[in-house]
Amino acid sequence: MPGTNEWEMRSEAGNSHEGDAQARSMADTVARRSYGKLVAFLAARTRDVAAAAEHGEIPDRRLALLFACAHPAIDAGVRAPLMLQVVVGLDAKTIASAFLTSPAAMGKRLGRAKDKLRHGGIPFSVPEREELSSRLDSVLEAIYAAFAEGWSDPGAADVVRDLTSEAMFLARVVTELLPDEPEALGLLAFLLHAEARRRARRNANGEYVPLAEQDSALWDWEMIGEAEAVIRRASALGAIGRYQLEAALQSAHVYRGGTDHANWADVAQLYDALFALTSSPVVALNRALAIAELHGAAAGLDAMPDPKADARLSEYQPHWAARAELLAKTGANDDARHAYEIAIGLERDPAVRLFLQQRQAVLAP
């Protein structure tokens, strides 16, 4: 499972709002002004997709290549990384970061996969329509990882930010091709929920704003409404999965932000279910933060996954940022400053790095 910077979505709770209805009313105006052209573009493309789907075609070349890279003869663990390199154009170092592994190891895995394509007699071709569902998991994983890389917004590079729009479009295309696949719908709902908060992630000075401090009136409530409708569609299909749970977690964060009602018990329960499905250290980290909100920072520290048991966490920035925050809350300032120092060194986004430096600076030596 690729790691996303979920810590920023799970920063401290308690931001006050003037009420859900007022925030929605204000946000509707902002959303229509900001996203009108994008919505019109996507609506037009969706009509094209629906027409192509009726004829059994994959209407987007990039998506067709994603499904081609998911050939069953290619090792399952390298299918999504291969898609990110061949189709999206990410380098091995960036892909390695997304999947919590070393660039050297990822480079070798990608090299072996491409050698198998060239010399192993595997047809690099678009699968038949009846084969799409069996290849879907790897395609969804690649779309998720591409969105996560764009969401991290390192250096505010336009080419990287465009990955989020690319991922959202591909997710929409998948749901049109396979409208009865609940996990495809779950992924789309997750992406919509995350994207709906983009405008609130930076203040007027370009500084990073954690979720708990965001102005919910800046969230795109029209997009949030679409995400909720997509979640309901997925739930009605009666087969729960990872991406539906991730979407439900985003819905829970939105509910808390819009109503100021603490729902950490629900969040922790969702992380329990997600961890049971994925065994992901990223999920375990976020579960620990939910526990901290429920039972205090010390309990959260006790629940955090140990980097000694999973070496991937040793270079995972959100782990150190979360650990630093909880240590600071327990009064262990020296340990907190050290953890912040590691998180700052690992962070690529200058705005998030400044945010962490400011948190570190308030801890008196």
Side-chain angles (χ1 to χ4, degrees):
M1 172 180 176
T4 61
N5 192 349
E6 292 181 68
W7 175 77
E8 69 167 279
M9 303 179 191
R10 295 280 300 98
S11 192
E12 69 276 11
N15 189 30
S16 61
H17 302 280
E18 295 182 3
D20 188 38
Q22 182 177 354
R24 287 173 185 266
S25 177
M26 295 170 64
D28 278 346
T29 301
V30 175
R32 291 192 182 96
R33 185 166 59 245
S34 302
Y35 286 97
K37 293 182 179 179
L38 176 60
V39 171
F41 167 77
L42 288 174
R45 290 301 300 270
T46 299
R47 286 192 292 272
D48 294 340
V49 169
E54 288 179 1
H55 294 87
E57 304 169 2
I58 299 181
D60 185 271
R61 180 177 178 272
R62 295 156 299 178
L63 187 63
L65 288 173
L66 291 181
F67 277 103
C69 287
H71 192 283
I74 299 172
D75 291 342
V78 79
R79 290 172 194 164
L82 182 65
M83 295 173 200
L84 292 175
Q85 186 171 74
V86 172
V87 182
V88 182
L90 299 183
D91 58 31
K93 181 179 179 181
T94 301
I95 297 169
S97 175
F99 287 84
L100 298 184
T101 190
S102 71
M106 181 57 71
K108 290 179 180 178
R109 290 169 61 190
L110 289 168
R112 287 193 296 267
K114 286 185 283 189
D115 283 344
K116 183 175 283 191
L117 282 172
R118 283 193 292 264
H119 307 301
I122 299 175
F124 193 72
S125 59
V126 179
E128 297 297 328
R129 185 174 179 81
E130 57 269 19
E131 298 178 76
L132 297 182
S133 292
S134 65
R135 302 188 185 191
L136 180 62
D137 288 349
S138 297
V139 171
L140 296 182
E141 188 175 14
I143 294 172
Y144 179 93
F147 183 90
E149 180 61 25
W151 176 263
S152 64
D153 201 20
D158 289 341
V159 67
V160 177
R161 278 207 313 271
D162 285 347
L163 284 173
T164 58
S165 298
E166 179 89 352
M168 288 184 67
F169 172 70
L170 291 173
R172 287 185 183 277
V173 175
V174 172
T175 61
E176 291 292 337
L177 279 171
L178 302 168
D180 296 324
E181 290 286 352
E183 280 294 83
L185 293 167
L187 176 61
L188 177 59
F190 169 80
L191 301 187
L192 288 167
H193 263 306
E195 184 66 19
R197 298 196 299 271
R198 178 174 293 279
R199 293 193 66 234
R201 296 179 66 213
R202 299 288 188 271
N203 64 19
N205 297 321
E207 296 171 332
Y208 169 74
V209 182
L211 175 60
E213 299 172 17
Q214 290 176 11
D215 180 359
S216 64
L218 295 177
W219 295 349
D220 183 345
W221 288 96
E222 186 174 334
M223 190 174 285
I224 288 169
E226 181 185 1
E228 292 294 307
V230 174
I231 291 174
R232 289 193 293 272
R233 280 179 58 195
S235 299
L237 295 171
I240 196 65
R242 164 194 167 188
Y243 295 112
Q244 293 170 77
L245 289 171
E246 297 233 28
L249 281 160
Q250 296 307 308
S251 179
H253 294 323
V254 166
Y255 174 76
R256 186 176 61 257
T259 65
D260 204 27
H261 174 74
N263 59 349
W264 292 108
D266 294 337
V267 170
Q269 187 175 15
L270 286 168
Y271 277 124
D272 286 342
L274 187 56
F275 185 77
L277 283 178
T278 66
S279 301
S280 163
V282 176
V283 176
L285 171 61
N286 284 280
R287 175 182 175 275
L289 288 170
I291 289 173
E293 295 290 347
L294 283 170
H295 304 298
L301 285 168
D302 288 341
M304 287 190 73
D306 187 353
K308 294 179 181 178
D310 192 329
R312 294 174 297 175
L313 290 171
S314 63
E315 296 186 6
Y316 184 53
Q317 182 270 5
H319 165 80
W320 294 105
R323 183 171 180 80
E325 182 176 344
L326 295 184
L327 285 167
K329 288 181 177 179
T330 65
N333 287 359
D334 289 343
D335 290 340
R337 281 196 303 273
H338 176 67
Y340 272 126
E341 194 66 37
I342 297 173
I344 290 165
L346 292 171
E347 180 54 55
R348 293 178 295 165
D349 186 335
V352 177
R353 192 181 306 123
L354 176 62
F355 172 82
L356 295 171
Q357 289 169 335
Q358 292 170 339
R359 290 292 180 101
Q360 183 190 43
V362 302
L363 299 175

